[in-house]
Amino acid sequence: MYPTMRALGEAKPLYASDLFQGKLSAITSWTNITVRIELLHKMIQRWTGSRELNLFATDNPAKYSSTTHGITGETPSITVNAEGISDMASPLSPTSASTRSALDAVKKRVQHTPFVERLLKENGMKKIFEQKILTELEHAMMAARRDMIENADMICEMGLPVTNRHMQELLLFPPRLLQTCLHIRLQSAENLVNPPLAQVDQLIEDIRDSLSVACRIKRTFISLVARVGKWNPEIRLDPEYDVALRSCLHTYFRLVHRKLVITKGTGTGAGTRDFEILESQWPFLLEIVRDIDGGHFELVIRYCQQVRRSMRLWTGILAQKLEGPEGYDSVDSRNLGKWISKALQDVRTPILKAQRLVRTIQEALINSTDYSFDDPFPVLAQLVDSKHVLIYTAGEWESHGVYIIGSQSLLEKPHLARELLSACIIDDVMNSERYRNCYLLVIRTDAEFNWTGPSVMPEGEQVPYQNMELGLGQMRLIAPGMGRLDRYR
């Protein structure tokens, strides 16, 4: 035995060598991670009541009772009285056969309720993913990824796996749980017929929380499974996850529309209230659609439809005002003046709110303008002289007679061309310095396309073709934002 590590190193030089210490550190880290992962896997097995982490497991929660790391599985006590079954309370000693039978039936129903349904009844979506077991799972996965990436070479050299099946199951568990919870929430929302305003407000708040949590879980999952060196869990997010998010977004707009219908009153106040509600939704929607595949398009279509409905309502109200008061011919000039003054005051607030909302939408959506030309050759010659760049897409666009020309700055960062083509909402990211002096010219022509200037092909995935509905002899300028669009014109 050696009294100190230093003494061991002096007696055994191999132990003190950098190579030995590196391998020792790597295998210690790997062992700690593996043990922690196995412990978390067993904890979630107890929590779900299933060895396979089945979200619809109906095993008795008491069978997996544990208070370790915030897991609770106590079976609730149920009180039965003369009027029937009351809320869950302290145990009651039945004194009759009928009472015992009723109690046993309720206990059986509680014990055989699927795990995910029990979870939703006991907690809101936000509280579910704030529970200690799930936050600890997230921290453990982040730490495992960091340490495995750092020690991957040593671990592989010793013949140890960087990932394992339990780690993959744990990585997939939060998005699986979230996706299932979303489906249940959507089903309950779709089954409602003409809910009152209070219930609509509650549902809107629930879905807001659900979408926020779902987008955060997706971001975390993508960052955890991203391949870095030898770290490659080889798992992907279920495509149905984004389908559930889009369905949730669609339901959210349906509830907002229901709220607008309920809150509509008489007179110009209805239009004013519509604009307030819609404007309050914009920041939240703009934030979450960044993490939803196809979410930007869903937002543009649904939100603009709602705004158009409100504008039509307010336009109809304004038209009624312009017709004048009832009995116009018999109203004296003094009363007519008062009526006109009140009418102008009533429409002033809706006009200002509508203008502000429309301006916000324009700044977020308007990012292109079209031009026409008869002869493409002078246009191309001028673009070559001004050092523009051809964005080559390996025939994806060129085969349709459509060509993408970029500004000079895209020569060093061609990948931004893909983002400019796919973005339909200009947010803070698109308005950042990253996109400074970046714009595209999309040209469609059936003439022979002879480009003599520089060209570049974006790295990574191909730039998929999009039908921009350009006619022959048309050119579209695409820029990140309305302000920059005006400058590049």
Side-chain angles (χ1 to χ4, degrees):
M1 298 296 290
Y2 300 92
T4 63
M5 303 296 286
R6 182 177 179 179
L8 175 59
E10 291 174 352
K12 305 289 183 181
L14 178 62
Y15 176 81
S17 66
D18 292 340
L19 179 61
F20 188 91
Q21 287 297 319
K23 288 186 176 181
L24 179 62
S25 175
I27 197 169
T28 301
S29 174
W30 182 88
T31 303
N32 290 337
I33 290 170
T34 303
V35 170
R36 189 178 184 186
I37 293 299
E38 291 301 316
L39 177 62
L40 277 169
H41 194 268
K42 290 179 181 178
M43 289 164 58
I44 294 183
Q45 282 180 332
R46 292 172 183 156
W47 191 40
T48 59
S50 167
R51 289 187 178 278
E52 295 78 23
L53 309 187
N54 182 4
L55 299 177
F56 289 94
T58 56
D59 288 352
N60 186 352
K63 180 180 176 181
Y64 301 91
S65 178
S66 173
T67 56
T68 307
H69 297 282
I71 307 174
T72 57
E74 295 88 0
T75 303
S77 302
I78 301 170
T79 304
V80 178
N81 54 30
E83 298 176 354
I85 302 168
S86 72
D87 294 333
M88 296 181 181
S90 58
L92 178 70
S93 300
T95 57
S96 66
S98 60
T99 304
R100 284 195 299 271
S101 176
L103 181 56
D104 291 341
V106 175
K107 281 187 177 180
K108 185 176 180 181
R109 187 165 65 247
V110 172
Q111 292 170 3
H112 291 277
T113 302
F115 161 76
V116 68
E117 291 185 13
R118 293 198 309 267
L119 203 61
L120 281 172
K121 288 177 181 177
E122 295 169 4
N123 305 278
M125 189 76 75
K126 215 170 183 180
K127 289 184 178 179
I128 290 174
F129 288 87
E130 288 175 351
Q131 292 192 46
K132 190 172 181 181
I133 187 171
L134 290 177
T135 57
E136 184 171 336
L137 173 61
E138 183 177 327
H139 295 155
M141 291 296 103
M142 288 180 176
R145 178 180 182 273
R146 183 185 63 247
D147 292 348
M148 288 296 190
I149 291 173
E150 184 178 342
N151 301 308
D153 292 335
M154 289 284 188
I155 291 172
C156 291
E157 186 180 333
M158 291 183 285
L160 299 173
V162 176
T163 61
N164 57 48
R165 183 173 61 85
H166 284 174
M167 188 180 291
Q168 292 174 334
E169 290 179 359
L170 292 179
L171 284 168
L172 285 168
F173 182 76
R176 281 180 54 234
L177 176 59
L178 197 286
Q179 182 179 339
T180 306
C181 290
L182 284 180
H183 281 304
I184 294 174
R185 277 283 163 84
L186 289 173
Q187 287 175 2
S188 62
E190 289 171 0
N191 291 334
L192 295 173
V193 179
N194 297 328
L197 180 59
Q199 193 171 9
V200 169
D201 285 335
Q202 183 60 49
L203 286 170
I204 288 176
E205 190 64 30
D206 289 346
I207 293 183
R208 279 176 72 103
D209 290 343
S210 301
L211 283 170
S212 297
V213 173
C215 291
R216 182 182 66 79
I217 293 296
K218 181 181 177 180
R219 287 194 302 270
T220 302
F221 177 83
I222 291 173
S223 66
L224 287 173
V225 302
R227 182 171 185 173
V228 180
K230 293 182 173 61
W231 169 264
N232 184 19
E234 297 182 346
I235 53 176
R236 296 291 180 269
L237 197 65
D238 186 350
E240 291 298 315
Y241 190 90
D242 277 294
V243 174
L245 289 181
R246 288 194 295 271
S247 298
C248 205
L249 188 60
H250 178 71
T251 302
Y252 187 84
F253 277 112
R254 188 166 59 84
L255 291 170
V256 170
H257 175 64
R258 174 62 184 168
K259 181 174 181 177
L260 294 175
V261 171
I262 294 174
T263 55
K264 280 175 184 176
T266 57
T268 56
T272 305
R273 185 64 179 145
D274 280 4
F275 296 133
E276 288 177 358
I277 294 171
L278 290 171
E279 191 175 17
S280 67
Q281 305 298 328
W282 180 256
F284 164 73
L285 292 169
L286 195 61
E287 180 69 26
I288 63 163
V289 294
R290 296 174 182 173
D291 301 302
I292 303 175
D293 290 347
H296 285 92
F297 297 99
E298 189 78 15
L299 171 59
V300 170
I301 293 171
R302 303 290 178 188
Y303 193 84
C304 289
Q305 284 177 345
Q306 296 286 6
V307 173
R308 184 178 62 179
R309 290 192 189 102
S310 297
M311 292 295 289
R312 282 181 175 176
L313 170 67
W314 182 83
T315 302
I317 293 171
L318 180 60
Q320 291 178 356
K321 290 289 183 182
L322 292 176
E323 292 177 359
E326 296 182 6
Y328 174 80
D329 297 334
S330 61
V331 178
D332 58 59
S333 58
R334 183 174 181 178
N335 289 330
L336 182 61
K338 290 181 179 179
W339 185 91
I340 293 174
S341 177
K342 185 178 183 305
L344 291 175
Q345 186 64 31
D346 288 342
V347 299
R348 179 177 176 273
T349 300
I351 286 176
L352 292 176
K353 293 188 176 182
Q355 286 178 337
R356 186 172 61 200
L357 183 57
V358 170
R359 187 163 53 248
T360 299
I361 296 173
Q362 286 178 334
E363 290 175 353
L365 301 185
I366 296 179
N367 67 341
S368 64
T369 186
D370 290 354
Y371 301 90
S372 298
F373 56 85
D374 296 323
D375 186 357
F377 298 108
V379 176
L380 295 178
Q382 189 174 359
L383 291 174
V384 170
D385 291 341
S386 55
K387 299 182 179 180
H388 282 72
V389 182
L390 172 67
I391 309 296
Y392 183 59
T393 63
E396 285 285 327
W397 292 66
E398 293 83 1
S399 61
H400 294 83
V402 181
Y403 304 88
I404 304 172
I405 311 296
S407 58
Q408 185 180 0
S409 61
L410 290 176
L411 185 61
E412 299 177 355
K413 38 188 179 182
H415 59 281
L416 295 184
R418 185 187 297 108
E419 298 177 19
L420 286 170
L421 287 169
S422 61
C424 65
I425 293 181
I426 309 303
D427 53 17
D428 294 339
V429 176
M430 297 293 288
N431 280 319
S432 65
E433 285 297 310
R434 181 188 181 200
Y435 292 88
R436 187 178 183 182
N437 297 325
C438 295
Y439 60 87
L440 297 175
L441 293 165
V442 183
I443 301 172
R444 186 183 177 198
T445 177
D446 57 355
E448 185 178 354
F449 194 87
N450 293 318
W451 180 260
T452 58
S455 62
V456 66
M457 185 174 179
E459 297 179 357
E461 298 179 2
Q462 290 185 339
V463 181
Y465 175 72
Q466 304 171 33
N467 184 8
M468 292 193 167
E469 299 182 357
L470 281 173
L472 289 173
Q474 281 192 329
M475 179 174 66
R476 179 167 297 167
L477 169 63
I478 302 174
M482 190 168 64
R484 289 175 176 173
L485 179 65
D486 293 336
R487 186 163 67 250
Y488 298 149
R489 282 176 179 176

